[in-house]
Amino acid sequence: MSVQDLIKRVVGNERSSDFVVDVNFSLHGSQSFLVQLSTTSDGKLMISANGGIAAAWGFNYFLKYFCNSSVFWSGRNINLPNPLPKLSKTITLKNFDKWIYYQNVCTYGYSFSWWNWTQWEQHIDWMAMNGINFPLAFNGQEEMWRRTYFKLGLNQTDLDEYFAGPAFLAWNRMGNMRKWGGPLPASWYNNQVQLQHAILDRTRSLGMIPILPGFAGFVPQAIQKISPKVNMSWIGRGWGNLPDEYTGSYILSPTDPLFAAVGQGFYKELVAEYGTDHYYNMDPFNEMVPPWNTTTYLSTMFRTIFTTLTSVDPMATWVLQGWFLLNSGYTPDIAKAMLTAVPQGSLIVLDLESELAPQFPRLDSYFGQPFIWNMLQDFGGLDSFYGAIGKLNTGVDQGRVGTTMSGIGLTPEGIFQNEVVYEFMLEKTFRPTMTQPQIEQWITAFISRRYGSWKPQLQTGWSLLVNGILNSSSSQNEMHRNLLIQQPSLKLDASFWYDPAIVLEAWDNMVNVAGDLADVDLFRYDLVDTTRQCLGIVFAKTYAQLLASFNAKDVNGLRTYGGQALDILEDLDTVLAADRHFLLGSWLNDAKQQGANAAESDLLEFNARNQITLWGPTGNIQDYAHKHWAGLVAKYYRPRWQMFVDALTYSLQSGVPFSQADFQTQVFNDVEEPFNNNRDLFPTEPLGDSVPIVQFLHYKYQVRNRRPRQ
């Protein structure tokens, strides 16, 4: 009944009876999914599939391509005709991949930190409908570690010195850092256990294979209490520019007896609590240099990680994030020693950023180990426009030729942006490389299902985006190049890696139909999102003029363009505040809701504020996880720019040279640190009507200053 229940959640109880699901495992083939869609004699849709995920995937295909309906992160547009469209013949759907993988270890920091079951339930439905059958399942592991270490003789104080706060657990788990943002609230441990049970119950009931956390060798420093002569090394010192108190972790030598004792203890707790589907993720050297970069040490480490796992679960397979392999120090010889230390087929490598930096060609298809071709797309949960659709279109199919590729996946550090890119990638499981006319047809279908209707202006606007800013040809991810969210400086890059006139023209087209689609929630979201991007363009151009005025010692020009820059930020906050997807208050409120008392909620709110701003005690990974959110723009980004404009004006008027170092100290003391420590409340509901706000801003910044694209 799991898929039938999913259908009820999507279309409602009344219409769910129009769908009949038949999961028939005898419908098999070389493909991961085999689905047959047909119309019954009484007008219902029969979904026959070789598994629950295949059935959910087939249901979504019917919604998208026969009912002009869409389900995605930002919302749903369900337009079920009554009766359902009748299929003249049986439609058979197949895909190319065994695995459709999802999540990055970092997604649990930048997007999932504060989620409750309601949010997870909706997300799991989306996962199933898009064929995702191989997701990470990382919640609830700290309690398993706590039980393990308590049995070994550590206490809560020892673990409070080790575990990071909830917003930073992802990097604590990979050994990059410890303690910052902690200690974990007392209620966090068991609350996450209950959440993990709900997630595993649902994903397994639908037919997914969840990947549990494993042991890569990282331990608290207090492990020395148990074994004073323990053989371990501190690695990752200086990671993220964090001070020694927080940076790096201790990793056990693979030859130390505690390696097996800790690992086996953890796996026994994990499997006893959650059961297992025999897949585990471990990442021993993420963005860190090993203690010894030799084939002997690394092969021994990989072999020991795996044998420790299989001593508890003999059927286990290791799923490895291949991000660390982008480091040039991992030569083919060294990588081969590591990867072949695990029996062939018992290791699956996630080629983490295949669209820009695939490693399988360099490493001979991981020397025979199966790998998954992944789109990383996003760093830090950033929300700017970006994509590499052309690389996705051709790269996935090229990856399948003569390699050990066994699937595709999504590995974003954060989600909630560029949904068209993710949808394009997910459809690569059944779509071969498309021609440009076919891509245009795909865009037409995307528009129709997203908004429930199609207009030529929408086709023009989306085509400009898909073939422009969402189709980067660079080998570098460009999302961080967003000027207004960076700490102000005289040396910021105001150039564009894309043609801004194309994005502004897309904005024109969307605004032209805004009145007709004002009641379509997904359109309103896209309208605000496009406006956000365009105000960033206007801001970058204004910054260039401000900089030129300062360099020319033109005080009047500096005041003019400084005032305009601050005005843009105020307008940006206003339009973001009109849409529920862009509210700082929601992020903070979700964090506070996880606390069992005022003290816990206060710590969790600090975690939430710090991650998206300073990321560390003194801006150590500053603005890496920035967001275009109402409240954050008004109370964090705009005050920084106000101070910058004031400092430059004072410099010209007084003749005292501007000091970036002095400015950074002042802005940290007056804006950045106070924002992290204050507890101002921010709205969790939209303010104002986004459509007329966008129409006004479009006139103010685009129509009055129109420069046609050359």
Side-chain angles (χ1 to χ4, degrees):
M1 291 295 292
S2 295
V3 178
Q4 199 71 52
D5 291 338
L6 179 154
I7 293 173
K8 287 181 182 179
R9 290 190 294 272
V10 173
V11 303
N13 287 335
E14 182 177 348
R15 295 306 306 275
S16 67
S17 60
D18 290 345
F19 299 85
V20 180
V21 177
D22 175 30
V23 175
N24 183 353
F25 292 102
S26 65
L27 288 172
H28 61 83
S30 60
Q31 293 81 16
S32 177
F33 302 148
L34 182 59
V35 183
Q36 293 177 340
L37 304 177
S38 59
T39 300
T40 64
S41 59
D42 56 352
K44 300 179 185 296
L45 180 73
M46 169 64 72
I47 307 171
S48 299
N50 64 346
I53 297 299
W57 180 68
F59 165 65
N60 193 35
Y61 183 92
F62 181 79
L63 289 185
K64 288 162 64 172
Y65 289 101
F66 291 90
C67 301
N68 279 350
S69 296
S70 179
V71 175
F72 221 88
W73 304 326
S74 58
R76 299 176 177 180
N77 182 49
I78 303 298
N79 300 292
L80 282 188
N82 194 3
L84 292 178
K86 183 177 180 179
L87 302 180
S88 59
K89 62 179 180 180
T90 298
I91 295 175
T92 299
L93 306 174
K94 301 177 182 179
N95 78 332
F96 302 125
D97 304 296
K98 176 181 180 180
W99 300 118
I100 301 180
Y101 172 82
Y102 177 51
Q103 296 173 23
N104 185 307
V105 173
C106 300
T107 322
Y108 285 85
Y110 292 128
S111 295
F112 301 157
S113 289
W114 321 119
W115 277 15
N116 57 31
W117 171 240
T118 299
Q119 291 160 305
W120 268 111
E121 182 176 50
Q122 293 176 352
H123 201 64
I124 292 169
D125 285 348
W126 169 84
M127 289 160 57
M129 292 172 66
N130 285 279
I132 292 166
N133 61 1
F134 202 38
L136 283 183
F138 261 37
N139 294 84
Q141 61 176 287
E142 277 63 42
E143 174 61 17
M144 303 305 106
W145 287 116
R146 185 165 70 159
R147 294 176 191 176
T148 301
Y149 288 126
F150 280 4
K151 288 181 179 179
L152 288 171
L154 300 189
N155 57 40
Q156 188 62 51
T157 301
D158 298 326
L159 297 185
D160 287 346
E161 290 293 309
Y162 178 61
F163 289 139
F168 307 100
L169 275 175
W171 301 275
N172 180 234
R173 292 164 177 170
M174 291 187 288
N176 301 122
M177 59 171 292
R178 62 192 189 279
K179 189 179 175 180
W180 175 248
L184 281 177
S187 66
W188 181 269
Y189 293 93
N190 286 318
N191 287 348
Q192 290 296 302
V193 170
Q194 297 308 310
L195 181 59
Q196 175 77 333
H197 274 296
I199 292 168
L200 291 174
D201 288 348
R202 179 61 55 81
T203 54
R204 286 167 174 163
S205 72
L206 288 165
M208 296 182 195
I209 305 295
I211 304 164
L212 296 176
F215 176 57
F218 301 113
V219 292
Q221 184 177 6
I223 204 80
Q224 293 171 320
K225 291 169 48 177
I226 302 168
S227 177
K229 295 183 179 180
V230 61
N231 186 357
M232 63 183 186
S233 304
W234 183 21
I235 67 171
R237 183 176 187 176
W239 183 89
N241 300 311
L242 291 167
D244 286 352
E245 181 181 0
Y246 305 115
T247 191
S249 284
Y250 287 89
I251 190 167
L252 290 170
S253 166
T255 61
D256 193 284
L258 268 180
F259 199 107
V262 174
Q264 290 172 357
F266 173 72
Y267 288 123
K268 289 174 182 177
E269 296 289 346
L270 185 78
V271 174
E273 183 69 41
Y274 299 126
T276 184
D277 297 273
H278 311 295
Y279 291 88
Y280 305 82
N281 169 263
M282 296 84 82
D283 297 312
F285 303 118
N286 178 69
E287 298 180 353
M288 297 183 291
V289 177
W292 295 275
N293 196 36
T294 65
T295 56
T296 300
Y297 170 79
L298 292 170
S299 62
T300 302
M301 174 60 84
F302 268 57
R303 187 177 302 110
T304 303
I305 289 173
F306 184 71
T307 56
T308 301
L309 170 60
T310 53
S311 68
V312 176
D313 183 355
M315 299 172 62
T317 295
W318 178 359
V319 180
L320 172 70
Q321 285 198 158
W323 183 247
F324 72 105
L325 293 170
L326 272 72
N327 186 317
S328 60
Y330 293 104
T331 64
D333 286 346
I334 290 176
K336 184 176 183 179
M338 289 189 293
L339 301 178
T340 58
V342 180
Q344 201 76 255
S346 294
L347 177 70
I348 298 175
V349 181
L350 303 174
D351 195 279
L352 214 66
E353 194 182 20
S354 307
E355 79 274 32
L356 299 185
Q359 296 303 296
F360 66 89
R362 182 177 75 90
L363 300 177
D364 193 19
S365 275
Y366 298 106
F367 310 101
Q369 299 286 19
F371 73 91
I372 295 175
W373 198 107
N374 290 287
M375 179 189 80
L376 199 156
Q377 169 69 19
D378 181 87
F379 290 92
L382 308 187
D383 51 4
S384 298
F385 280 179
Y386 172 76
I389 280 180
K391 292 178 180 289
L392 302 178
N393 187 35
T394 58
V396 173
D397 299 297
Q398 292 168 357
R400 291 193 174 104
V401 180
T403 71
T404 55
M405 178 177 161
S406 62
I408 65 170
L410 305 176
T411 52
E413 287 192 351
I415 57 174
F416 303 122
Q417 28 66 33
N418 298 299
E419 292 179 351
V420 65
V421 180
Y422 291 91
E423 188 146 334
F424 189 94
M425 176 60 184
L426 286 165
E427 290 204 356
K428 287 301 296 180
T429 194
F430 71 96
R431 288 191 184 279
T433 300
M434 289 189 279
T435 63
Q436 188 58 43
Q438 289 173 326
I439 290 176
E440 289 298 320
Q441 292 173 359
W442 187 89
I443 293 170
T444 299
F446 172 81
I447 293 167
S448 297
R449 63 178 175 264
R450 191 163 178 84
Y451 306 139
S453 62
W454 177 92
K455 293 179 180 296
Q457 297 93 331
L458 293 173
Q459 185 76 32
T460 300
W462 274 107
S463 294
L464 289 167
L465 296 176
V466 167
N467 294 297
I469 193 171
L470 303 179
N471 190 26
S472 172
S473 59
S474 170
S475 60
Q476 300 293 320
N477 189 297
E478 306 281 5
M479 287 193 78
H480 275 95
R481 292 181 57 181
N482 197 318
L483 194 143
L484 67 86
I485 52 75
Q486 299 178 46
Q487 189 185 71
S489 164
L490 292 173
K491 297 182 179 180
L492 297 182
D493 184 359
S495 66
F496 301 94
W497 62 268
Y498 58 91
D499 184 350
I502 291 178
V503 180
L504 293 171
E505 186 177 341
W507 191 28
D508 293 341
N509 280 274
M510 296 194 75
V511 172
N512 285 342
V513 297
D516 296 334
L517 295 172
D519 60 344
V520 178
D521 188 57
L522 285 173
F523 174 79
R524 295 173 74 97
Y525 164 75
D526 290 337
L527 184 66
V528 171
D529 201 24
T530 306
T531 303
R532 171 205 55 73
Q533 185 72 31
C534 291
L535 291 184
I537 292 171
V538 177
F539 186 91
K541 294 179 178 180
T542 304
Y543 167 81
Q545 294 168 313
L546 179 154
L547 192 62
S549 296
F550 177 77
N551 290 332
K553 301 187 183 328
D554 177 2
V555 176
N556 291 332
L558 177 62
R559 286 173 174 163
T560 296
Y561 295 118
Q564 289 179 8
L566 297 173
D567 195 31
I568 295 166
L569 289 166
E570 185 174 343
D571 286 338
L572 176 61
D573 195 79
T574 298
V575 70
L576 295 173
D579 191 287
R580 63 184 176 85
H581 302 91
F582 301 95
L583 303 179
L584 170 64
S586 297
W587 171 255
L588 298 181
N589 190 61
D590 285 351
K592 290 184 287 186
Q593 291 296 316
Q594 295 287 334
N597 53 51
E600 288 190 355
S601 294
D602 184 76
L603 176 65
L604 294 169
E605 181 172 358
F606 173 80
N607 270 249
R609 286 173 177 258
N610 184 263
Q611 187 208 87
I612 59 175
T613 55
L614 292 174
W615 214 123
T618 57
N620 309 82
I621 315 179
Q622 182 152 0
D623 296 322
Y624 179 84
H626 69 258
K627 304 291 186 293
H628 293 88
W629 286 345
L632 191 59
V633 174
K635 299 298 183 180
Y636 191 77
Y637 301 138
R638 190 180 186 282
R640 293 199 305 191
W641 282 99
Q642 177 73 69
M643 288 185 63
F644 183 67
V645 172
D646 291 346
L648 295 184
T649 303
Y650 172 78
S651 174
L652 290 186
Q653 290 178 328
S654 67
V656 177
F658 172 77
S659 168
Q660 183 67 32
D662 290 347
F663 170 74
Q664 287 177 322
T665 299
Q666 183 183 6
V667 80
F668 176 81
N669 291 333
D670 293 355
V671 177
E672 294 168 346
E673 188 174 46
F675 176 86
N676 277 253
N677 293 327
N678 74 37
R679 296 296 176 261
D680 295 341
L681 296 177
F682 292 90
T684 57
E685 296 294 332
L687 300 173
D689 186 338
S690 61
V691 171
I693 292 173
V694 168
Q695 289 170 328
F696 169 75
L697 295 179
H698 178 259
Y699 175 78
K700 178 178 180 179
Y701 292 109
Q702 177 70 339
V703 176
R704 291 194 310 183
N705 302 289
R706 187 175 303 279
R707 292 183 179 89
R709 179 159 59 99
Q710 301 299 316

